[in-house]
Amino acid sequence: MASRSDKLFQKRRPNKQRDLIRRKSSLPERRRVLIVCEGEKTEPLYLKALVADLGLTTAEVEVCGKCDSAPVSVVKFGKKKFNSDPDFDLVFFVFDQDTHASYDDALRLIEEFQCQRKFNGKTIAAITSIPCFEIWFLLHFEPHTKPYVASGGKSPCKNLISVLKRNPAFKDYEKGGENYFEVLQGRLPQAKKNSAQALKQIQDAGSSAHHGNPTTLMHKLIDALENVAAEYKI
C-alpha cells in the first residue's frame, strides 16, 4: 500500500512535467546562424569548436569552409547558400585582407546584400581580419597594434605568423593545420577585450573597421554567438 508521501509525489510529478512543457513552449525559438569562412581548416576548425563549447549545435549554427580563398568567392558562396536556405537569421562572412585583390569587392557585395529588401530583419555582416585571421590568435596573449606589411618576400600574413610562432604554443603552427581552440579557450575574454580595444584605437585614428591594420572583428562574431546561446536556456 502506497504511503501518504508516495501519493503526494505521484500527484506532483505530472504537474512538474506540465510546467516544463509550458516553460519550453514559452521560450523564443533560437535563431539560426550561417558562418562562411575563407579558410578550409584554420577558421572552420576554430569556429566549430567554439560553437560546440557554447552548447550550440549544427542545427543552429552552420560553419562552411572550402569556398575558395578569394574574399569575393566567400561572399558569393554564402549568398548562394543563403538563397537556398533563407531561414538563417544571422549570416557572417569571415575573410582576411592580406594581399587579396577582391577584398574591397567583397565588402561592396556584402553592402549590396544588406540592402536587399527581402533580407530586412536579418543580420548580415563581414567579419574581417587584417592582415589575417591569426591576428585573433595573437590577441589572446597581449594587446597588439603593430601594423603588418609585405617585406622580405613575405606577405603581411606570413610576417604575422612568424611573430605568432615565437609563442611556444604555436612554434609548429601551420595555416590550415590543427585546431587551436583548446589552447586558447581560457584566454577568450582577454582576446575579446584586446580585439575591441584595437578596433577602437583604429577607429579613433580615422580608419574604418574593415581597413585598420591590424584589426579583427572576431570579437563581434563571438558576442553574437554567445547571445544566441543565451537566448534559449531552461
Side-chain angles (χ1 to χ4, degrees):
M1 183 175 180
S3 67
R4 183 178 179 184
S5 61
D6 289 337
K7 290 179 180 179
L8 285 172
F9 177 75
Q10 290 169 0
K11 288 180 181 179
R12 288 171 183 165
R13 186 174 181 181
N15 289 337
K16 287 184 178 181
Q17 290 175 335
R18 285 198 296 270
D19 289 345
L20 180 60
I21 293 170
R22 190 179 300 113
R23 187 177 178 188
K24 283 184 176 179
S25 64
S26 66
L27 290 170
E29 185 176 350
R30 186 178 279 172
R31 293 179 291 170
R32 292 183 67 214
V33 184
L34 173 64
I35 305 173
V36 187
C37 304
E38 168 192 326
E40 291 189 15
K41 291 185 178 180
T42 304
E43 294 89 334
L45 285 173
Y46 176 87
L47 287 166
K48 287 177 181 179
L50 170 68
V51 166
D53 186 65
L54 291 173
L56 296 165
T57 69
T58 54
E60 294 138 357
V61 182
E62 183 170 350
V63 180
C64 299
K66 298 184 179 180
C67 48
D68 199 350
S69 62
V72 72
S73 297
V74 174
V75 179
K76 288 179 178 179
F77 180 93
K79 185 174 181 180
K80 183 177 180 180
K81 175 74 177 175
F82 190 30
N83 283 331
S84 68
D85 185 0
D87 288 336
F88 289 105
D89 303 288
L90 302 95
V91 181
F92 298 103
F93 300 94
V94 180
F95 55 91
D96 304 341
Q97 183 188 53
D98 200 24
T99 58
H100 293 304
S102 68
Y103 180 80
D104 287 325
D105 290 335
L107 292 174
R108 281 192 289 271
L109 281 178
I110 293 171
E111 287 180 3
E112 293 172 5
F113 199 18
Q114 292 167 331
C115 292
Q116 292 183 36
R117 185 176 298 176
K118 65 180 178 179
F119 300 130
N120 282 351
K122 308 280 188 179
T123 295
I124 299 170
I127 302 298
T128 54
S129 296
I130 300 175
C132 55
F133 184 77
E134 284 76 8
I135 185 64
W136 173 244
F137 290 167
L138 276 177
L139 290 168
H140 283 71
F141 299 97
E142 60 183 321
H144 210 79
T145 58
K146 172 190 173 183
Y148 287 89
V149 297
S151 64
K154 293 182 178 181
S155 70
C157 183
K158 286 184 177 179
N159 280 325
L160 187 152
I161 290 173
S162 294
V163 174
L164 180 64
K165 284 185 170 185
R166 296 173 190 168
N167 187 298
F170 287 87
K171 63 184 178 66
D172 298 318
Y173 179 81
E174 294 296 335
K175 197 170 180 69
E178 62 185 284
N179 182 11
Y180 281 86
F181 177 77
E182 290 187 4
V183 173
L184 299 168
Q185 184 178 10
R187 298 176 180 269
L188 184 58
Q190 187 64 34
K192 289 174 60 179
K193 179 182 177 181
N194 288 339
S195 182
Q197 287 178 342
L199 178 61
K200 183 179 185 303
Q201 182 173 326
I202 286 292
Q203 290 177 319
D204 288 347
S207 294
S208 74
H210 299 301
H211 291 93
N213 185 359
T215 54
T216 180
L217 298 184
M218 275 298 298
H219 62 283
K220 290 185 175 291
L221 172 56
I222 291 173
D223 282 344
L225 291 174
E226 289 175 341
N227 289 336
V228 170
E231 286 173 358
Y232 195 87
K233 290 188 178 295
I234 297 175

